[in-house]
Each structure stands twice: as C-alpha cells, then as structure tokens.
Amino acid sequence: MRTSAYGPTLCEARVHFHDGTSAVFNRYLDFEGTDYRFDPNIDDYDASLK
C-alpha cells in the first residue's frame, strides 16, 4: 500500500475470512505526529511504478 497524506485521517478496511464472514476495521492515522518529511524524489519514484 502506498499513500500520500497529511494530518489525521480515518483508515477503514474490510477483511474477508476463509469461513465466508467479513469484518470492518477502522483506525485514525495521524501523519503529522510522525517525523515524516515529504521527499519529492520518493514521490517521483512511486509514480514511476504505476
């Protein structure tokens, strides 16, 4: 998974189990609370993989 994000955001995922049931999980992610700094070289590299 790749993402471009900033600030808090809600992440949701539906998980399908082998027995046919599924569940939805959610969690808030806070990208400002990390030491991450935007690097345009990484962004260009990710774009080249598409």
Side-chain angles (χ1 to χ4, degrees), residues 31-45:
F31 292 96
E32 290 180 352
T34 68
D35 289 334
Y36 174 80
R37 297 291 178 256
F38 175 73
D39 182 348
N41 295 321
I42 298 296
D43 207 39
D44 291 341
Y45 172 77

Side-chain angles (χ1 to χ4, degrees), residues 9-26:
T9 189
L10 179 63
C11 177
E12 293 187 330
R14 179 177 302 272
V15 178
H16 297 270
F17 298 100
H18 291 287
D19 67 359
T21 61
S22 66
V24 176
F25 297 92
N26 57 59

